[in-house]
Amino acid sequence: MTDTNLISIDAMGGDRGPAAVLDGIALAHAANPALRFLVHGRQAEVAPLIAARGLSDICSLRHAEAVVTMNDKPSQVMRHGSDTSMWSAVDAVRNREAAVAVSCGNTGALMAVSMLRLRKLPGVNRPAIASLWPSFNPGGWNVMLDMGADVRADAHDLLTYGIMGAAYAHYALGLETPRVGLLNVGTEEHKGTAELRLAHELMTGAQARGGFAFVGFVEGNDLPAERVDVIVTDGFTGNVALKTGEGTAKMASRLMKEALTSTWLAKLGALLAMSALKRLKDKIDPRRANGGVFLGLNGTVVKSHGGADATGIAAAIDLAARLARSGFLERMAARVASAAPAGQDAPSEEASNESAK
Amino acid sequence: MTDTNLISIDAMGGDRGPAAVLDGIALAHAANPALRFLVHGRQAEVAPLIAARGLSDICSLRHAEAVVTMNDKPSQVMRHGSDTSMWSAVDAVRNREAAVAVSCGNTGALMAVSMLRLRKLPGVNRPAIASLWPSFNPGGWNVMLDMGADVRADAHDLLTYGIMGAAYAHYALGLETPRVGLLNVGTEEHKGTAELRLAHELMTGAQARGGFAFVGFVEGNDLPAERVDVIVTDGFTGNVALKTGEGTAKMASRLMKEALTSTWLAKLGALLAMSALKRLKDKIDPRRANGGVFLGLNGTVVKSHGGADATGIAAAIDLAARLARSGFLERMAARVASAAPAGQDAPSEEASNESAK
């Protein structure tokens, strides 16, 4: 049986190199001493980092000669990447050594390797990447998917995203019956494309057996809203929305910083308000929500931000560990299979190619 | 010849009613005394508002019995809306009485009526709505289109959006050769849909005669960036991005307010920093950029936000007046026509229906 406390982790391929990954492992282990790690990477580079941090007891190192870079094309990695640390990390999930793999590497390549090695769950045509989005809900987060696994999604894919996103929100956010919304340019039923109107119909009918409550169409300004827990969209729109939100938040933070250093009085004011501003900064720290989860495969893969530091990597590991323990994959798989229309589970060559973003 | 100082304005249909529109007219006139107005709305309701503000000398009232509400379907308004103030306001541009019309009403209906009465420019298949987006560029704004005129756009539409957006940025932001970017999920040339890759090719080839410099693909986090002036996307993605940015900015502002009132020390700090924070608030005041411009028609229509107050309406009028004086419509029309592939100028029934969002 798979050890749910063992996390398979790709030590290479992140912007900050293997040292940041090992620092993240040390942090995650301090918070949760039961965790152990299968670490994939170059022996000569990674072994000294493990030893230097005194992590030899909790880390098994598996040597992989090659590294997937941010510039490698997913199709190339699929054909020639079997000696990479990313491939090795995913294969540990395939072989049931670990329940979850974590990587900071190239998103497109990680999705391609994950699809190739883990294969899609029955009933899933297009896997998706789910992320957490800061919200005014009591828990502070909404789930949004697809964030960019595939630039397209048809109505059945969107229904599947709703079911998978609801299962993820159930286990990651502890919500009994997550409320699912479909992203559109208006909330009236006649808005948007024919595909979205069909998805609306399918999701209305699938609520009960899909384990969610369907709230209908939502708009971009509902992403942080209290009226929804899971926002479903295609990977093109999701990716643009994610980066637009990040860009806007960064702009707001930069303008605020400029304002609070613009005069002596403002600087003094900022000094007095410092601890309140620090609490706000911690609350919205994007590192706390680090980790896009690949849903729809026979195994769970957590994609950490490429630029994640130790804190971010520890957050991704913590998410991976919670998912591994929850047994959410099996429950999600059962729900997807029960809601799938006939003929949706055949592997599709076209879909595999499209995922290579 | 059309009087470029005469603005045709729909007094009805905004969330705050005709009084806010007349207040906006008064503000705009105070800033620019040459302006005069053709005001469309219910005589009994609007005439006293004009008289009460002493605006009788600069406002001619044109009675229209009916009002388009926010819930009216565009297709209904196209068929039965000829007695509405919105229709009347657009018809004044059609009849060359005024160069520009301004309305706070229902966006979908306004676009439908504008397409029906003004007709598309030769070479334009899908008209677009262009908005200003706060940016780190010296002028403080980028142009983005389409913000929701049509949920779809093919590669030729995207090229046309680039040309129209560049002409708009030239006149509205005073940029000699605007830099145009195409919104995608990555900046590498192999990213995104086949349609986007074709648009990339078309835009690369059309830069010189289109009056812009093409910077290639841009991502959601580039929307406020300094590397681009005009961001081109389809109306579905543009609308989601716009509302996502608004939602994120509102969330940031609400969290900041909570933080600065959370303790006595924070409140005192906020008091000291107040004038700097006030300047920031003015700088990013969304009312300053009020006004989506409909591009691609034989006439210019400015859509003010439905909830705009007097300051917002005055900003929309100011934008309308600058566009009227610049003669940008003629120059844009010439550039679009020169870049259009053969056969693109036939009016398309399908496109007309699609715009009804």
Side-chain angles (χ1 to χ4, degrees):
Chain A
M1 208 191 126
T2 310
D3 177 355
T4 57
N5 278 319
L6 183 66
I7 309 290
S8 174
I9 187 159
D10 175 10
M12 320 298 285
D15 300 343
R16 294 166 188 252
V21 175
L22 270 300
D23 286 341
I25 287 177
L27 269 182
H29 182 256
N32 184 352
L35 291 181
R36 292 179 309 112
F37 299 87
L38 198 50
V39 182
H40 308 260
R42 277 202 198 108
Q43 174 99 34
E45 217 171 319
V46 180
L49 296 171
I50 293 177
R53 286 162 184 78
L55 298 172
S56 304
D57 287 353
I58 58 157
C59 289
S60 314
L61 177 57
R62 190 160 292 175
H63 175 68
E65 190 51 42
V67 175
V68 176
T69 70
M70 292 297 176
N71 300 321
D72 285 335
K73 285 202 182 178
S75 53
Q76 287 291 100
V77 179
M78 279 172 83
R79 273 193 291 271
H80 310 293
S82 62
D83 59 346
T84 62
S85 58
M86 179 186 279
W87 189 292
S88 179
V90 171
D91 260 13
V93 174
R94 174 188 166 104
N95 302 335
R96 313 233 162 246
E97 295 171 85
V100 183
V102 175
S103 174
C104 306
N106 179 325
T107 308
L110 184 60
M111 180 50 97
V113 169
S114 299
M115 280 181 70
L116 182 70
R117 303 305 291 165
L118 302 178
R119 294 281 160 193
K120 294 183 275 182
L121 281 177
V124 173
N125 179 36
R126 291 185 162 100
I129 304 175
S131 292
L132 296 177
W133 191 282
S135 89
F136 288 116
N137 272 320
W141 303 103
N142 286 341
V143 169
M144 186 162 165
L145 73 169
D146 171 29
M147 301 312 255
D150 196 317
V151 292
R152 295 180 305 183
D154 68 18
H156 283 282
D157 297 326
L158 294 170
L159 169 61
T160 306
Y161 294 175
I163 296 168
M164 298 196 300
Y168 176 54
H170 181 84
Y171 290 101
L173 304 180
L175 303 171
E176 189 49 39
T177 307
R179 296 160 301 167
V180 173
L182 190 55
L183 189 60
N184 199 350
V185 295
T187 54
E188 303 89 341
E189 291 192 19
H190 66 273
K191 287 286 175 83
T193 59
E195 207 61 46
L196 278 171
R197 292 191 292 271
L198 175 57
H200 189 288
E201 204 183 305
L202 293 176
M203 291 171 90
T204 303
Q207 300 180 68
R209 65 181 194 284
F212 63 88
F214 184 50
V215 302
F217 290 137
V218 297
E219 299 183 76
N221 46 326
D222 290 322
L223 267 40
E226 285 169 286
R227 58 184 286 254
V228 66
D229 303 303
V230 178
I231 294 126
V232 168
T233 190
D234 65 85
F236 187 89
T237 310
N239 188 279
V240 168
L242 175 69
K243 289 173 181 165
T244 300
E246 284 176 357
T248 307
K250 259 187 206 162
M251 180 166 198
S253 142
R254 183 171 143 181
L255 289 172
M256 181 56 72
K257 215 167 275 173
E258 281 172 14
L260 291 179
T261 52
S262 61
T263 65
W264 284 106
L265 215 53
K267 280 183 195 168
L268 180 59
L271 202 65
L272 294 179
M274 188 182 279
S275 73
L277 292 173
K278 173 78 172 59
R279 274 195 304 279
L280 170 61
K281 204 179 160 198
D282 290 346
K283 188 174 167 185
I284 58 170
D285 186 349
R287 297 178 303 176
R288 283 181 55 227
N290 183 38
V293 178
F294 292 2
L295 300 176
L297 304 168
N298 290 297
T300 304
V301 176
V302 173
K303 164 66 176 80
S304 160
H305 198 288
D309 62 6
T311 304
I313 290 164
I317 292 172
D318 176 62
L319 174 63
R322 279 185 290 137
L323 293 175
R325 281 194 305 271
S326 71
F328 108 104
L329 186 64
E330 291 69 27
R331 306 237 203 149
M332 182 180 78
R335 278 189 180 156
V336 169
S338 80
Q344 279 284 307
D345 52 354
S348 135
E349 186 56 34
E350 184 222 27
S352 307
N353 291 338
E354 271 305 308
S355 80
K357 71 147 282 254
Chain B
M1 207 193 128
T2 311
D3 177 355
T4 57
N5 278 320
L6 184 66
I7 309 291
S8 173
I9 186 160
D10 175 11
M12 319 298 285
D15 301 342
R16 294 167 188 254
V21 175
L22 270 300
D23 287 340
I25 288 176
L27 268 183
H29 181 255
N32 185 353
L35 291 181
R36 291 178 309 112
F37 300 87
L38 198 51
V39 182
H40 308 260
R42 278 203 198 104
Q43 174 97 36
E45 219 171 319
V46 179
L49 296 171
I50 293 176
R53 286 164 184 75
L55 298 173
S56 305
D57 286 353
I58 57 157
C59 290
S60 314
L61 178 56
R62 189 158 293 176
H63 175 69
E65 190 50 42
V67 174
V68 176
T69 71
M70 290 298 176
N71 300 321
D72 285 335
K73 284 202 182 179
S75 52
Q76 287 290 100
V77 178
M78 281 173 80
R79 274 193 291 271
H80 309 294
S82 63
D83 60 346
T84 62
S85 58
M86 180 185 279
W87 189 292
S88 180
V90 171
D91 261 12
V93 174
R94 176 189 165 102
N95 302 335
R96 314 235 161 243
E97 295 170 86
V100 184
V102 176
S103 174
C104 308
N106 180 326
T107 308
L110 184 59
M111 180 49 97
V113 169
S114 298
M115 280 182 70
L116 182 70
R117 302 306 290 165
L118 302 177
R119 294 282 161 192
K120 293 182 277 182
L121 281 177
V124 173
N125 179 35
R126 291 186 162 98
I129 304 175
S131 292
L132 296 178
W133 192 282
S135 89
F136 288 116
N137 272 320
W141 303 104
N142 286 342
V143 169
M144 187 162 165
L145 73 167
D146 171 31
M147 301 312 254
D150 196 317
V151 293
R152 293 180 306 183
D154 68 18
H156 283 283
D157 298 326
L158 293 170
L159 168 62
T160 306
Y161 294 175
I163 296 167
M164 298 195 301
Y168 177 53
H170 181 84
Y171 290 102
L173 304 180
L175 302 171
E176 188 50 38
T177 306
R179 295 160 302 167
V180 173
L182 189 56
L183 189 61
N184 199 350
V185 294
T187 53
E188 303 89 339
E189 291 192 18
H190 65 274
K191 287 284 175 86
T193 59
E195 207 62 44
L196 279 171
R197 292 191 292 272
L198 176 57
H200 189 289
E201 204 183 305
L202 293 175
M203 291 170 89
T204 303
Q207 301 179 66
R209 65 182 193 282
F212 62 88
F214 184 50
V215 302
F217 290 136
V218 296
E219 299 183 77
N221 47 326
D222 289 322
L223 266 40
E226 284 168 287
R227 59 183 287 253
V228 66
D229 302 303
V230 178
I231 294 125
V232 168
T233 189
D234 65 84
F236 187 89
T237 311
N239 188 281
V240 168
L242 175 70
K243 289 173 181 167
T244 299
E246 283 176 357
T248 308
K250 259 188 206 163
M251 181 166 196
S253 142
R254 182 170 143 183
L255 289 173
M256 181 57 73
K257 214 168 275 174
E258 281 173 14
L260 291 179
T261 52
S262 60
T263 64
W264 283 106
L265 214 54
K267 279 183 197 168
L268 180 59
L271 202 66
L272 293 179
M274 188 181 279
S275 73
L277 293 173
K278 173 79 172 59
R279 274 196 304 278
L280 170 61
K281 204 181 160 195
D282 290 345
K283 187 173 168 185
I284 58 170
D285 186 348
R287 298 179 302 177
R288 283 181 54 226
N290 184 40
V293 178
F294 292 1
L295 300 176
L297 304 167
N298 290 299
T300 304
V301 176
V302 173
K303 164 67 177 80
S304 159
H305 198 288
D309 62 5
T311 303
I313 290 164
I317 292 171
D318 176 61
L319 174 62
R322 279 184 289 136
L323 292 175
R325 282 194 304 271
S326 71
F328 107 104
L329 186 65
E330 292 69 26
R331 307 240 200 145
M332 181 179 78
R335 278 191 179 155
V336 169
S338 81
Q344 279 284 307
D345 51 353
S348 135
E349 186 56 35
E350 183 222 27
S352 308
N353 291 336
E354 271 304 310
S355 80
K357 71 148 285 252

